[in-house]
Amino acid sequence: MAVLDELSGFEFEDVIEDVFRNLGYENVRQAEKTADEGRDVIMEEVVDGTRRAIVVECKHTGTVGRPVVQKLHSAIATFDFDGPKRGMVVTTGRFTSPAQEYADRLQQNDDPHPIELLGGEDLREIADEIGLDLYNGRIEILCDETLRPYDLAADVDAPVQEAFRDIENIEAADVPIPHSAVTFRPVVAVTADTNAVFETSVGVIHRINDRTQFVVHAERGHPQVVNEDVAALVTENFHTRIELDSEQFGEVFDDVEEGRFGQTQTDYKEWAVERLQQHHTTTVSYTGDNNVTYNKTCEPNLSDISVQSIEPVYLPEVRQTTGILEYSYPYEYYAAGSSRVTTEDGIHRCVHCETSGVDETYTYCPNCGAIACTSHTRTERLEGEPVCTGCAVTERFALKTKYFYDEQNLEEFREEYAYMPLHEKAMENKLLAGGSVVATLLLVVGLLVIGGII
């Protein structure tokens, strides 16, 4: 059976480790390669509430005979595990009749350490199930599940309505329905264990015993670890994932797009192992037997790092764009039901100076549709409503600039101003009027002092 021909024995073990992990076995890991005791991969399963260890022998050969199965049976008996144990032999080829008969006899005799045989034909069936490319040993990513792109208990545009609630001079209920688009972004959640001990003549100088979990953007290009907020969104909602049904979501969103996983699951595993190797590499200082201080670089071996799971899922990225008069306001976020992480908030951003952030005060201008910060918001003189400096028509009255929605309002106020009494005109610039009063009082007091009256 011409499969996996280009792989070495060790590489074949790597593939089988990935295969069993994808089949749902737990704590899948490779045995020490330096000690060939008839076991290559070790893993666990839970059957009827009982945890059982499985010792796997991998044979990248054409034919597997009875001695291999017998040797594994002995290895199972000596394997240190507090609980029931069984074995498995996996090969790309086939088993001889004596090997099959020996395994069958263990089953029939209710041996405490039964052995299951998986040959090349069995691998073909498994390959179809998990997306294993038999000819190069790469496991493809098969995923049709996503986090939910919206909250079932609310309208799909509820996040936009919520964002508009603290914008001055506009009611959220009056905000137009936004254009909603969703892109399902592929990500993988990786869990890996690193266990390494570094020793010298003085004993152990460094030890690593760490479980790492991270989420990675899995589109084309180099994998990128997502930030902490997005990682928490994915991991905390992973159990709520649903089927990615583009037709169904097309009834909710105006546009639906689905990204593609850029690499195989095997690629992401290899990348994760290399990344963790670099992450855990450190230089340690220690004192030798001769009281001399030494520095040693402690770099874990690739075999010290065991990827426990690589779980793919689609992460919905929702972009809702609200058009109001002359402006459009984007609001973009990653969604998982009622939870979300905002990536772009064009609502809390001044259209004139790019001031942004929810801690600022923003006001809606009904004249042009702008959302502006306090530095670019004024009161329209004729109607007493907010107007932004970007669209307002201006003119100076009583040496102070006044703001108007348009030329018509300006002309109406010119006529009104023309018929104002002098004191009312002066009040169009309260600061100037107040200053004039103070100056006049100071002048009068000065004259009275000069005249000796006071």
Side-chain angles (χ1 to χ4, degrees):
M1 181 179 179
V3 295
L4 309 175
D5 286 340
E6 301 300 320
L7 300 183
S8 68
F10 288 161
E11 289 172 330
F12 179 60
E13 292 171 17
D14 289 337
V15 171
I16 295 304
E17 179 187 353
D18 291 341
V19 165
F20 286 122
R21 185 179 300 111
N22 276 269
L23 290 175
Y25 292 95
E26 300 179 6
N27 296 326
V28 183
R29 59 204 185 276
Q30 293 186 40
E32 290 290 337
K33 290 183 171 63
T34 55
D36 185 7
E37 300 175 356
R39 53 176 182 257
D40 299 316
V41 174
I42 302 166
M43 57 192 185
E44 297 171 15
E45 64 181 353
V46 178
V47 179
D48 297 330
T50 301
R51 182 168 293 275
R52 177 167 58 182
I54 306 174
V55 180
V56 183
E57 173 77 3
C58 302
K59 286 298 179 183
H60 189 23
T61 57
T63 303
V64 177
R66 172 172 172 162
V68 171
V69 185
Q70 287 179 306
K71 181 180 178 182
L72 177 61
H73 188 255
S74 299
I76 299 170
T78 60
F79 178 60
D80 184 17
F81 183 79
D82 185 16
K85 300 173 285 187
R86 72 180 181 94
M88 191 180 295
V89 181
V90 182
T91 180
T92 55
R94 65 180 184 83
F95 295 95
T96 65
S97 294
Q100 187 67 59
E101 291 170 1
Y102 185 85
D104 290 343
R105 192 179 309 118
L106 294 177
Q107 294 279 358
Q108 294 166 3
N109 295 337
D110 292 328
D111 191 276
H113 306 134
I115 295 177
E116 179 183 359
L117 305 182
L118 291 180
E121 294 302 318
D122 299 307
L123 277 181
R124 284 188 186 276
E125 296 180 7
I126 292 173
D128 291 338
E129 179 181 345
I130 67 172
L132 169 64
D133 183 346
L134 289 173
Y135 291 91
N136 65 22
R138 318 299 282 182
I139 294 182
E140 305 295 329
I141 290 181
L142 302 179
C143 180
D144 58 2
E145 293 184 318
T146 179
L147 303 183
R148 187 175 292 280
Y150 61 95
D151 183 4
L152 285 175
D155 293 333
V156 70
D157 58 346
V160 170
Q161 294 177 347
E162 180 180 332
F164 269 99
R165 283 198 179 96
D166 57 359
I167 302 300
E168 302 288 338
N169 201 45
I170 188 172
E171 296 294 331
D174 297 331
V175 176
I177 297 176
H179 178 278
S180 296
V182 60
T183 300
F184 292 95
R185 302 288 187 191
V187 299
V188 290
V190 180
T191 301
D193 290 336
T194 305
N195 294 285
V197 177
F198 303 89
E199 296 182 86
T200 68
S201 59
V202 299
V204 176
I205 61 170
H206 184 56
R207 189 188 302 271
I208 303 172
N209 184 11
D210 177 72
R211 167 158 287 194
T212 305
Q213 294 177 308
F214 51 90
V215 178
V216 182
H217 286 298
E219 293 177 290
R220 287 186 177 182
H222 190 71
Q224 296 289 330
V225 177
V226 306
N227 64 42
E228 292 183 3
D229 291 338
V230 178
L233 181 75
V234 173
T235 55
E236 291 173 6
N237 294 279
F238 204 86
H239 64 286
T240 66
R241 58 193 185 276
I242 59 173
E243 180 183 355
L244 200 168
D245 187 340
S246 296
E247 184 175 342
Q248 174 192 345
F249 296 135
E251 298 175 359
V252 179
F253 293 92
D254 299 303
D255 295 311
V256 177
E257 184 177 345
E258 181 180 333
R260 297 180 60 183
F261 286 87
Q263 301 181 50
T264 68
Q265 187 180 112
T266 307
D267 291 327
Y268 291 115
K269 173 196 170 184
E270 293 173 350
W271 172 83
V273 169
E274 291 178 0
R275 179 178 183 271
L276 289 171
Q277 184 184 44
Q278 295 174 4
H279 173 73
H280 287 296
T281 297
T282 186
T283 299
V284 176
S285 297
Y286 69 96
T287 302
D289 294 329
N290 55 359
N291 289 326
V292 175
T293 299
Y294 297 93
N295 293 323
K296 179 179 176 59
T297 298
C298 299
E299 180 183 53
N301 297 318
L302 296 180
S303 59
D304 295 329
I305 303 169
S306 174
V307 175
Q308 295 300 311
S309 64
I310 296 181
E311 300 179 283
V313 71
Y314 283 97
L315 173 62
E317 183 180 48
V318 180
R319 185 175 182 85
Q320 297 180 299
T321 305
T322 307
I324 309 178
L325 299 178
E326 300 176 19
Y327 295 91
S328 293
Y329 300 100
Y331 191 70
E332 189 169 297
Y333 53 91
Y334 290 117
S338 59
S339 303
R340 63 181 182 273
V341 174
T342 302
T343 56
E344 182 183 4
D345 183 357
I347 297 171
H348 295 90
R349 182 168 62 213
C350 177
V351 300
H352 302 301
C353 70
E354 297 300 311
T355 294
S356 61
V358 295
D359 294 332
E360 300 287 335
T361 298
Y362 302 93
T363 303
Y364 169 71
C365 173
N367 194 47
C368 67
I371 292 177
C373 66
T374 54
S375 298
H376 291 90
T377 300
R378 299 291 184 270
T379 299
E380 209 273 354
R381 175 59 185 86
L382 195 65
E383 300 187 24
E385 296 294 328
V387 64
C388 75
T389 58
C391 70
V393 176
T394 63
E395 188 167 315
R396 294 174 70 82
F397 292 88
L399 301 180
K400 184 175 182 180
T401 301
K402 301 293 179 179
Y403 296 84
F404 304 90
Y405 284 149
D406 49 34
E407 290 288 347
Q408 181 178 343
N409 277 22
L410 171 59
E411 183 59 34
E412 288 183 21
F413 184 73
R414 281 178 185 151
E415 295 178 5
E416 181 181 322
Y417 185 80
Y419 290 100
M420 281 184 184
L422 186 60
H423 68 279
E424 289 186 12
K425 288 182 178 180
M427 292 304 295
E428 289 300 318
N429 189 341
K430 293 183 173 63
L431 183 61
L432 179 62
S436 299
V437 171
V438 172
T440 301
L441 289 175
L442 291 175
L443 178 60
V444 171
V445 171
L447 292 174
L448 292 175
V449 171
I450 293 172
I453 300 176
I454 59 174

